[in-house]
């Protein structure tokens, strides 16, 4: 384990690293002796992720994790191999991302026994909210009291310090004023809100505490670990305070640790930033994140279908470099957050981004803004369900489903591991009442349900929810059965004109898949010849010259020669 010690030295220098090394080494040796749940090594075509809250479904008098397990067993278990449980710990705000206690389960959700029960049915991704902790946490309360153990756990700053270079993901101030128990006032670094206090990783004891949390999660069944807001962990005045080298070193340390104690545990970095910065978290391909979120994908697919023009998506996808032998992309269209816009800046002209935002606002979407260094504001996130983002209020359900399925076919066929948000599989519309109730724009896509209500809608064939669920789960199951969708199988993006998004999956010899999407609301004709099996229907198809696709139609064609 000396290589882990060397990693510590790269972060803190030899002297400070030595101060925690003895304690850390003991913890790692103990962790290596622990019997963990067997972990799948790497990933394959069967791996699809469901993103959900632990309290997504509710029954009177029952822990919500138990209710979720019931829904999962009946409707989702044969579709998803992995469940990303959004933070299920006690929290004070931001729907879980302001964690009060990293090592407890929110009593509404249940207890660690409920987590363990679910982990017998599926692999679980834990959220590791490693950048910040709740202002209501014991750590911060002890800091306010002046407890020596928690001194320097948080970043204190003179309010007159020039922080104009700091990257701001929100419109709130960088620093928040707090009053200590002795009456003094201190200004503390709060990247996201006054209730989310950034941890000071310059203090080695903070890192040691957070490694304890990491090991605790592995012990309690985490097979995937999502590093939330990880790009902001290290602060240096005068810099952007995002993507700094010490941040990368800490992530590499986390990778070293999971490889040492529970190989097969997957580290995923959540960095809602432009593509170049995002993929930097792959490190050298074997020393940092196993997966990175493919953040340009949600806004690009939305822009593509809303404009009926696939040129930008085709150009972007053609320039994607393969992730590597030990890494892959984590692809998604919707999540508990909004649709981030920063990742497509530089891909889509700014005036086109602003036009897209304006169009979606007209249709009922909400928008969050960020402060720029020059004092202006820019939209950074559209808050909307993906179903409503793709459609207009007056569209009929048949058209809604067509657009929605076409978008998800793109998600399911691109190289990488796909993830589907619970609101998408449920065919959810915008929850405007939720926004009014909480005052948060993101609540528009975070609706929770009584179990009886959602079961009634899913089992009634005429409802939009039932149609979306049946159609989407159908193509998910077909995708899982096709080996050519293995994340390691090469992808070639084809140029078939601006109204088509097409790609090929295969090795160049033997069988391959040609996948074609009409992303326009009109029939499109394109050149294609050969003998194929339509994977979606099992039908044998022969084309000698051209084919015609209906609006939003997509084909998964497997070569039969």
């Amino acid at each position: 384990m000396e290589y882990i010690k060397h990693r510590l030295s790269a972060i803190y220098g030899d002297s400070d690293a030595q101060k925690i090394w003895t304690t850390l080494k003991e913890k790692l040796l103990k962790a290596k002796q622990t019997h963990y749940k067997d972990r799948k090594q790497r990933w394959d075509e069967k791996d699809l992720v469901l993103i959900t809250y632990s309290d997504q479904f509710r029954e009177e008098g029952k822990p919500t994790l138990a209710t979720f397990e019931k829904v999962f067993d009946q409707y989702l278990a044969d579709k998803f191999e992995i469940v990303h449980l959004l933070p299920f710990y006690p929290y004070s705000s931001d729907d879980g991302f302001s964690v009060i206690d990293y090592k407890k389960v929110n009593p509404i959700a249940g207890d660690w026994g409920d987590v363990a029960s679910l982990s017998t049915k599926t692999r679980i991704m834990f959220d590791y909210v490693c950048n910040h902790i709740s202002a209501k946490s014991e750590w911060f309360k002890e800091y306010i009291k002046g407890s020596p153990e928690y001194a320097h756990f948080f970043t204190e700053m003179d309010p007159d310090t020039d922080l104009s270079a700091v990257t701001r993901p929100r419109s709130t101030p960088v620093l928040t004023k707090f009053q200590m128990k002795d009456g003094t006032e201190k200004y503390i670094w709060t990247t996201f809100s006054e209730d989310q206090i950034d941890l000071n990783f310059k203090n080695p004891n903070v890192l040691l505490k957070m490694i304890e949390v990491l090991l605790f999660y592995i012990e309690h069944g985490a097979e995937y670990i999502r590093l939330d807001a990880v790009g902001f962990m290290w602060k240096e005045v005068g810099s952007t305070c995002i993507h700094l080298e010490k941040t990368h070193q800490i992530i590499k340390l986390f990778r070293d640790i999971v490889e040492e104690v529970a190989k097969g545990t997957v580290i995923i970095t959540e960095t809602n930033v432009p593509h170049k910065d995002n993929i930097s978290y792959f490190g050298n391909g074997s020393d940092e994140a196993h997966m990175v979120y493919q953040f340009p994908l949600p806004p690009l697919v939305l822009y593509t279908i809303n404009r009926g023009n696939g040129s930008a998506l085709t150009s972007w996808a053609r320039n994607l470099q393969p992730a590597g032998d030990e890494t892959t992309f984590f692809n998604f269209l919707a999540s508990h957050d909004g649709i981030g816009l920063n990742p497509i800046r530089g891909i889509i002209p700014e005036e086109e981004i602003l036009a897209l935002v304006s169009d979606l606002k007209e249709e009922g979407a909400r928008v969050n803004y960020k402060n720029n260094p020059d004092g202006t504001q820019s939209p950074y996130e559209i808050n909307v369900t993906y179903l409503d983002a793709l459609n207009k209020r007056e569209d009929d359900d048949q058209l809604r489903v067509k657009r929605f399925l076409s978008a998800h076919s793109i998600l399911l066929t691109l190289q990488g591991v796909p993830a589907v948000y619970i609101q998408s599989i449920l065919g959810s519309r915008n929850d405007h009442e939720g926004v009014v109730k909480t005052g948060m724009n993101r609540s528009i896509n975070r609706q929770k349900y009584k179990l009886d209500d959602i079961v009634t809608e899913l089992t009634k064939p005429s409802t939009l929810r039932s149609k979306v669920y049946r159609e989407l789960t159908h193509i998910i199951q077909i995708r899982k059965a096709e080996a050519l969708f293995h994340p390691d199988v090469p992808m070639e993006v084809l140029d078939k004109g601006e109204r088509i998004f097409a790609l090929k999956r295969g090795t160049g010899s033997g069988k391959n898949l040609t996948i074609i999407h009409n992303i326009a609301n009109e029939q499109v004709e394109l050149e294609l010849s050969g003998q194929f099996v339509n994977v979606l229907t099992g039908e044998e198809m022969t084309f000698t010259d051209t084919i015609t696709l209906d609006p939003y139609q997509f084909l998964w064609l497997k070569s039969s020669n």
Side-chain angles (χ1 to χ4, degrees), residues 49-52 56 76 80 332-336 339 384-388 390 404-405 407-408 411 419-429 445-447 449 458 464-473 476:
V49 181
L50 175 71
I51 305 168
T52 184
Q56 191 62 61
L76 303 165
F80 297 97
F332 73 110
L333 294 180
S335 74
H336 61 290
I339 300 169
V384 61
T385 68
Y386 215 78
L387 183 63
D388 276 348
L390 290 168
F404 194 68
L405 291 176
H408 281 79
L411 167 69
V420 179
Y421 184 40
I422 188 72
Q423 303 294 352
S424 294
I425 205 78
L426 296 177
S428 297
R429 306 290 304 277
N445 192 28
R446 296 180 175 181
Q447 189 174 1
Y449 305 100
L458 287 177
L464 178 61
R465 288 195 191 280
S466 180
K467 292 173 183 176
V468 168
Y469 167 79
R470 285 184 280 111
E471 295 288 342
L472 183 51
T473 55
I476 283 173

Side-chain angles (χ1 to χ4, degrees), residues 243-289:
H243 314 314
L244 300 187
E245 177 57 28
K246 294 293 181 72
T247 291
H248 284 284
Q249 290 293 335
I250 292 172
I251 298 167
K252 290 177 181 182
L253 176 67
F254 292 160
R255 166 79 174 250
D256 291 340
I257 288 170
V258 301
E259 295 280 341
E260 184 72 28
V261 304
K263 191 170 179 60
T265 305
V266 175
I267 295 288
I268 303 179
T269 49
E270 187 263 339
T271 50
N272 193 350
V273 294
H275 186 68
K276 182 180 178 181
D277 295 321
N278 192 33
I279 61 174
S280 71
Y281 288 87
F282 279 141
N284 68 11
S286 62
D287 69 342
E288 202 165 339

Side-chain angles (χ1 to χ4, degrees), residues 206-476:
V206 170
L207 180 64
L208 185 61
K209 276 274 196 180
M210 293 307 288
I211 290 172
E212 288 178 6
V213 174
L214 178 64
L215 295 172
F216 181 85
Y217 289 167
I218 294 171
E219 181 182 350
H220 284 77
E223 296 188 58
Y224 280 55
I225 295 175
R226 175 186 183 270
L227 307 185
D228 176 65
V230 69
F232 297 93
M233 282 200 301
W234 197 272
K235 282 81 173 171
E236 293 288 352
V237 173
S239 77
T240 60
C241 297
I242 188 171
H243 314 314
L244 300 187
E245 177 57 28
K246 294 293 181 72
T247 291
H248 284 284
Q249 290 293 335
I250 292 172
I251 298 167
K252 290 177 181 182
L253 176 67
F254 292 160
R255 166 79 174 250
D256 291 340
I257 288 170
V258 301
E259 295 280 341
E260 184 72 28
V261 304
K263 191 170 179 60
T265 305
V266 175
I267 295 288
I268 303 179
T269 49
E270 187 263 339
T271 50
N272 193 350
V273 294
H275 186 68
K276 182 180 178 181
D277 295 321
N278 192 33
I279 61 174
S280 71
Y281 288 87
F282 279 141
N284 68 11
S286 62
D287 69 342
E288 202 165 339
H290 297 90
M291 296 184 188
V292 299
Y293 274 71
Q294 190 64 283
F295 274 106
L297 191 61
L300 263 178
V301 171
L302 173 60
Y303 173 85
T304 294
I305 292 180
N306 276 12
R307 294 295 184 263
N309 188 318
S311 301
L313 179 61
T314 295
S315 176
W316 169 79
R318 289 184 81 175
N319 290 313
L320 281 178
Q321 296 298 312
D325 294 336
E326 299 182 51
T327 56
T328 195
F329 291 110
F330 186 84
N331 297 326
F332 73 110
L333 294 180
S335 74
H336 61 290
D337 287 338
I339 300 169
L341 298 172
N342 290 340
I344 56 168
R345 288 193 157 98
I347 301 173
I348 303 296
E350 187 66 18
E351 60 269 21
E352 287 288 305
I353 294 175
L354 296 178
L356 178 66
V357 169
S358 177
D359 290 348
L360 288 167
K361 284 180 72 174
E362 285 290 317
E363 294 296 327
R366 304 298 179 108
V367 181
N368 283 327
Y369 294 83
K370 69 181 182 71
N371 289 338
N372 299 318
D374 63 1
T376 61
Q377 287 193 329
S378 299
Y380 77 86
E381 180 182 85
I382 304 169
N383 300 114
V384 61
T385 68
Y386 215 78
L387 183 63
D388 276 348
L390 290 168
N391 295 283
K392 297 183 182 300
R393 287 189 180 101
E394 68 267 20
D395 291 336
D396 61 38
D397 284 354
Q398 184 178 10
L399 184 57
R400 290 181 204 281
V401 175
K402 282 183 178 180
R403 287 195 181 118
F404 194 68
L405 291 176
S406 186
H408 281 79
S409 172
I410 296 172
L411 167 69
L412 293 169
T413 56
L414 284 175
Q415 191 172 28
V417 171
V420 179
Y421 184 40
I422 188 72
Q423 303 294 352
S424 294
I425 205 78
L426 296 177
S428 297
R429 306 290 304 277
N430 288 334
D431 182 18
H432 297 291
E433 291 182 7
V435 175
V436 172
K437 185 182 297 184
T438 66
M440 290 174 51
N441 286 345
R442 287 179 169 179
S443 296
I444 202 168
N445 192 28
R446 296 180 175 181
Q447 189 174 1
K448 310 294 173 63
Y449 305 100
K450 292 181 180 178
L451 178 63
D452 290 344
D453 292 344
I454 201 68
V455 168
T456 297
E457 287 196 72
L458 287 177
T459 53
K460 190 175 181 181
S462 62
T463 66
L464 178 61
R465 288 195 191 280
S466 180
K467 292 173 183 176
V468 168
Y469 167 79
R470 285 184 280 111
E471 295 288 342
L472 183 51
T473 55
H474 173 67
I475 63 173
I476 283 173

Side-chain angles (χ1 to χ4, degrees), residues 25-256:
K25 185 177 181 180
E26 290 176 357
K27 292 181 183 299
L28 295 178
L29 287 171
K30 182 179 179 182
K32 287 186 70 172
Q33 295 168 3
T34 303
H35 177 68
Y36 297 118
K37 179 183 177 183
D38 289 340
R39 282 158 166 74
K40 180 177 181 176
Q41 302 301 306
R42 302 183 76 249
W43 37 79
D44 59 31
E45 68 278 2
K46 296 179 177 63
D47 289 329
L48 271 81
V49 181
L50 175 71
I51 305 168
T52 184
Y53 284 98
S54 61
D55 62 345
Q56 191 62 61
F57 307 109
R58 300 182 178 185
E59 290 178 283
E60 189 69 33
K62 294 187 177 180
T64 57
L65 273 172
T67 302
F68 173 79
E69 186 175 337
K70 184 186 298 185
V71 175
F72 184 76
D73 286 344
Q74 185 169 353
Y75 294 100
L76 303 165
D78 59 341
K79 288 84 175 175
F80 297 97
E81 301 293 315
I82 302 135
V83 172
H84 171 197
L85 281 181
L86 292 156
F88 52 86
Y89 326 111
Y91 68 94
S92 53
S93 63
D94 198 20
D95 280 341
F97 285 91
S98 184
V99 179
I100 293 174
D101 192 324
Y102 291 115
K103 294 184 178 181
K104 289 184 179 178
V105 176
N106 187 338
I108 292 172
D111 56 28
W112 285 111
D114 294 296
V115 177
S117 178
L118 182 61
S119 72
T120 64
K121 311 289 182 63
T122 182
R123 288 174 283 155
I124 301 180
M125 183 193 301
F126 282 32
D127 252 295
Y128 183 36
V129 188
C130 50
N131 178 72
H132 49 263
I133 195 169
S134 170
K136 310 298 190 298
S137 66
E138 285 301 311
W139 292 13
F140 193 65
K141 287 178 180 178
E142 289 298 312
Y143 166 82
I144 292 292
K145 290 177 184 177
S147 170
E149 182 182 353
Y150 292 91
H152 310 299
F153 256 54
F154 307 97
T155 302
E156 304 167 8
M157 194 68 59
D158 185 323
D160 294 328
T161 304
D162 181 5
L163 299 176
S164 59
V166 174
T167 297
R168 298 300 301 127
R170 300 284 186 274
S171 57
T172 53
V174 179
L175 304 178
T176 301
K177 182 172 68 174
F178 290 92
Q179 185 169 5
M180 305 294 285
K181 187 176 181 181
D182 64 8
T184 60
E185 292 180 342
K186 290 187 178 180
Y187 286 79
I188 311 298
W189 201 294
T190 52
T191 295
F192 294 97
S193 79
E194 63 183 12
D195 187 43
Q196 293 167 298
I197 318 299
D198 285 50
L199 295 162
N200 177 21
F201 280 93
K202 287 187 175 180
N203 178 354
N205 289 317
V206 170
L207 180 64
L208 185 61
K209 276 274 196 180
M210 293 307 288
I211 290 172
E212 288 178 6
V213 174
L214 178 64
L215 295 172
F216 181 85
Y217 289 167
I218 294 171
E219 181 182 350
H220 284 77
E223 296 188 58
Y224 280 55
I225 295 175
R226 175 186 183 270
L227 307 185
D228 176 65
V230 69
F232 297 93
M233 282 200 301
W234 197 272
K235 282 81 173 171
E236 293 288 352
V237 173
S239 77
T240 60
C241 297
I242 188 171
H243 314 314
L244 300 187
E245 177 57 28
K246 294 293 181 72
T247 291
H248 284 284
Q249 290 293 335
I250 292 172
I251 298 167
K252 290 177 181 182
L253 176 67
F254 292 160
R255 166 79 174 250
D256 291 340

